[in-house]
Amino acid sequence: MFNISIFFQYASQYLKTRLTYRVDTVVEILSDLLFQAVNLIFILVVFGHTTFLSGWNREEIIFIYGFFLVPYALFTSFFNIWDFNERYIVKGEMDRILTRPIHSLFQIIMERMELESLFGVITGLAIMYYAGSSLGLTPAWYDVFIFIAMVIGGAFIYAGIFIALASIGFWSDSRTDIMPMMYNIGNYGRYPVDIYHKVIRFVLTWILPFAFVGVYPAAYFLKREEWYVYAFLTPVMGVVFLSIAVFLWNAGVKKYRGAGN
């Protein structure tokens, strides 16, 4: 309950700050929507030259992209730690974090939240509704709960991977470009994995499981029964990868030497 109270206090202060600079907030939301629109246009351009992509039609690819946006929006809203190494390790702000009686990772997540990114959830749901209507999908009542579990699992996978990468900073305080590279790799999860080489499919499934953020869980709602096992593994993979990441973080904090060394 204490952590929940802290979360709402952080969220309240964040909203006050963002509302002070309304124009900046609106511009940032519009830029996110524009970025999502460009990706959608890319899909439409591709299907302007073909009818199927490895057995997937245009509406199915659009549905997968819409699903991908929902857990990705949760991730960018609450786990925006791409600059952790430079800000908290190199500049020494981790010292400040460790003086407070709250888990260090929780504090950093709260400090780095970007609630305006939650608009991506609305965009993703709208795209899914459009594609699902075109495909004639009729979800069952329990699909709502399955959807929530898979979305949370996908967000946990993203969070787990990037928290684990951020933890490297506790052992090596040098700047690295691995975060932007990983963001680019994560985009592969918004497309069906069977369009890639088998080595890439293996990487996107078991090593960097971004496929569990988009195509695998979306395949359940598209009635692709051959992918059902992978779809229902999504929450499991999310818990596993987030647990590994928290373990690495806790181990890294013990190795942290401080900004003065």
Side-chain angles (χ1 to χ4, degrees), residues 2-78:
F2 175 72
N3 286 341
I4 294 175
S5 174
I6 292 296
F7 166 77
F8 282 109
Q9 290 183 45
Y10 266 107
S12 175
Q13 293 302 317
Y14 177 83
L15 290 175
K16 291 177 182 178
T17 302
R18 298 305 293 175
L19 290 175
T20 302
Y21 304 97
R22 293 179 177 87
V23 176
D24 290 344
T25 303
V26 172
V27 170
E28 186 170 348
I29 293 173
L30 291 177
S31 65
D32 288 343
L33 293 176
L34 180 61
F35 177 75
Q36 295 160 10
V38 169
N39 290 322
L40 184 58
I41 292 172
F42 172 77
I43 296 174
L44 297 177
V45 170
V46 169
F47 278 95
H49 300 278
T50 184
T51 305
F52 291 93
L53 188 63
S54 190
W56 301 80
N57 62 38
R58 184 182 69 175
E59 282 68 29
E60 287 176 325
I61 300 293
I62 292 175
F63 185 93
I64 293 171
Y65 176 63
F67 186 96
F68 172 87
L69 288 178
V70 180
Y72 183 75
L74 294 179
F75 161 72
T76 55
S77 297
F78 298 107

Side-chain angles (χ1 to χ4, degrees), residues 2-260:
F2 175 72
N3 286 341
I4 294 175
S5 174
I6 292 296
F7 166 77
F8 282 109
Q9 290 183 45
Y10 266 107
S12 175
Q13 293 302 317
Y14 177 83
L15 290 175
K16 291 177 182 178
T17 302
R18 298 305 293 175
L19 290 175
T20 302
Y21 304 97
R22 293 179 177 87
V23 176
D24 290 344
T25 303
V26 172
V27 170
E28 186 170 348
I29 293 173
L30 291 177
S31 65
D32 288 343
L33 293 176
L34 180 61
F35 177 75
Q36 295 160 10
V38 169
N39 290 322
L40 184 58
I41 292 172
F42 172 77
I43 296 174
L44 297 177
V45 170
V46 169
F47 278 95
H49 300 278
T50 184
T51 305
F52 291 93
L53 188 63
S54 190
W56 301 80
N57 62 38
R58 184 182 69 175
E59 282 68 29
E60 287 176 325
I61 300 293
I62 292 175
F63 185 93
I64 293 171
Y65 176 63
F67 186 96
F68 172 87
L69 288 178
V70 180
Y72 183 75
L74 294 179
F75 161 72
T76 55
S77 297
F78 298 107
F79 299 95
N80 183 24
I81 57 174
W82 62 271
D83 60 344
F84 168 78
N85 185 275
E86 181 174 355
R87 175 173 175 178
Y88 290 92
I89 302 297
V90 176
K91 294 184 178 179
E93 290 195 30
M94 194 65 191
D95 293 357
R96 169 179 58 83
I97 295 294
L98 293 177
T99 62
R100 298 172 177 174
I102 308 176
H103 194 276
S104 56
L105 179 58
F106 179 77
Q107 290 184 65
I108 292 172
I109 288 173
M110 293 300 97
E111 286 188 357
R112 303 297 295 148
M113 70 168 63
E114 293 185 357
L115 297 180
E116 62 271 18
S117 296
L118 289 175
F119 277 91
V121 173
I122 299 174
T123 306
L125 292 175
I127 293 174
M128 289 176 62
Y129 178 79
Y130 161 76
S133 299
S134 301
L135 293 168
L137 300 179
T138 54
W141 64 268
Y142 51 81
D143 284 343
V144 175
F145 302 101
I146 295 176
F147 174 78
I148 293 174
M150 289 184 176
V151 165
I152 294 175
F156 279 3
I157 289 171
Y158 248 103
I161 291 173
F162 283 92
I163 291 172
L165 291 176
S167 300
I168 296 174
F170 291 118
W171 285 275
S172 174
D173 58 3
S174 61
R175 292 178 174 85
T176 176
D177 294 329
I178 193 171
M179 284 286 194
M181 180 184 70
M182 199 59 62
Y183 270 101
N184 292 329
I185 294 175
N187 291 330
Y188 287 91
R190 66 180 63 168
Y191 303 110
V193 291
D194 46 359
I195 69 175
Y196 305 125
H197 188 273
K198 61 181 180 181
V199 174
I200 298 178
R201 291 201 301 266
F202 179 81
V203 171
L204 292 176
T205 301
W206 304 115
I207 300 177
L208 300 172
F210 291 114
F212 287 96
V213 182
V215 59
Y216 287 152
Y220 166 78
F221 301 99
L222 292 172
K223 312 301 180 184
R224 292 274 186 157
E225 296 183 3
E226 67 271 26
W227 301 106
Y228 275 12
V229 173
Y230 292 96
F232 286 105
L233 275 176
T234 300
V236 177
M237 294 292 287
V239 171
V240 169
F241 270 76
L242 185 59
S243 299
I244 293 173
V246 173
F247 173 80
L248 291 174
W249 180 277
N250 291 334
V253 169
K254 295 178 182 178
K255 298 291 183 179
Y256 179 66
R257 296 170 299 175

